[in-house]
Amino acid sequence: MINLSRKNQPRYLFKLSVALVSFFAFWFTAVVAVMVAVGCIYGENVITYAVMGGGFGLFAVGLVIFFILDKTFYNRNILKLTAELEKEFTDMPFEEAERILKERGVIDERGFIVNDGVFGGETVPFKNAYLTFNIDVTYNVEMKISLYEKGGDSPKTVYVFDGAAFNYFCEKETNLKYNEALMLLKRNKREFTESISRYSKIFKWEF
């Protein structure tokens, strides 16, 4: 899959995309030009057929090589991202996760804390909260939780989704507890990584 953004993917995937584009440019300009020139000079001759066979053979071999490299690098990136998720999202007791989020100022006994940094913020009661799970995939996986008050159109605040938040939201009775993406992350991190990386190397999802 061609992706020419330097900052949104590992260097080896960027280099592969550049090499693939360069190969296409070379084939459609230099190789096609040679085949046309030979055809004009020799007409329906064994030399013409040999050159055309060599040109299309080069194209086919190039595509096979790039397909193998893309598959190899894709699997390498999946392994890297999966290892990062397994390291970050390890199991911890719900009580410990809850304590960490309270110390961080994410929640209190009544609900989710919205701190605007000016007036001290407010608390959205648990029963009035609606949460979305946001995934941003570039050269790594970044996840956040957006807090909405039921009936509101814009998020009140956004929380970092780390190990403590993972264990808290997997157990807390909110709309996120049965979120498809969150359940997959809990059940199988390799499958989760493959799912979010299958369609594009750069995208954002909101669940």
Side-chain angles (χ1 to χ4, degrees):
M1 184 178 296
I2 297 176
N3 177 4
L4 296 177
S5 175
R6 284 180 176 271
K7 65 180 181 179
N8 290 319
Q9 61 179 328
R11 183 182 297 274
Y12 54 85
L13 290 178
F14 170 74
K15 288 183 176 180
L16 179 63
S17 293
V18 171
L20 182 56
V21 170
S22 299
F23 172 74
F24 282 144
F26 168 76
W27 194 88
F28 282 106
T29 54
V31 177
V32 171
V34 169
M35 290 191 294
V36 171
V38 171
C40 291
I41 295 173
Y42 294 97
E44 294 186 6
N45 187 285
V46 65
I47 297 177
T48 300
Y49 295 135
V51 171
M52 292 182 64
F56 285 108
L58 175 64
F59 186 77
V61 170
L63 286 184
V64 170
I65 292 175
F66 281 113
F67 175 81
I68 293 173
L69 289 176
D70 184 68
K71 187 68 174 177
T72 301
F73 289 165
Y74 171 82
N75 289 333
R76 174 181 169 184
N77 199 41
I78 290 294
L79 290 174
K80 168 184 171 291
L81 295 176
T82 301
E84 292 175 356
L85 294 182
E86 289 177 342
K87 181 179 179 181
E88 174 65 30
F89 301 112
T90 56
D91 291 337
M92 71 171 63
F94 174 78
E95 293 75 15
E96 181 180 353
E98 184 178 43
R99 175 185 58 79
I100 293 173
L101 295 187
K102 284 181 177 179
E103 292 176 352
R104 194 182 296 165
V106 173
I107 60 173
D108 59 20
E109 296 298 331
R110 298 173 298 155
F112 296 98
I113 298 173
V114 180
N115 191 340
D116 60 14
V118 179
F119 301 106
E122 61 177 301
T123 298
V124 177
F126 292 121
K127 64 179 181 179
N128 294 336
Y130 182 82
L131 302 148
T132 61
F133 182 39
N134 309 305
I135 306 173
D136 184 2
V137 180
T138 54
Y139 55 87
N140 56 8
V141 181
E142 296 180 359
M143 291 175 277
K144 296 179 181 179
I145 298 292
S146 294
L147 169 67
Y148 294 78
E149 192 160 13
K150 289 180 180 179
D153 296 328
S154 57
K156 306 282 286 185
T157 191
V158 177
Y159 304 119
V160 174
F161 187 77
D162 58 5
F166 167 70
N167 285 277
Y168 179 82
F169 287 110
C170 282
E171 298 297 330
K172 180 68 177 178
E173 286 295 337
T174 68
N175 65 289
L176 276 188
K177 184 175 181 179
Y178 307 101
N179 180 278
E180 180 182 355
L182 187 57
M183 288 192 294
L184 182 58
L185 176 61
K186 181 179 181 180
R187 183 176 68 250
N188 190 321
K189 294 176 178 57
R190 170 65 185 252
E191 186 178 344
F192 173 85
T193 305
E194 289 177 339
S195 292
I196 64 176
S197 300
R198 185 174 297 125
Y199 303 106
S200 176
K201 295 182 177 68
I202 310 173
F203 62 89
K204 293 183 179 181
W205 276 356
E206 181 175 286
F207 294 89

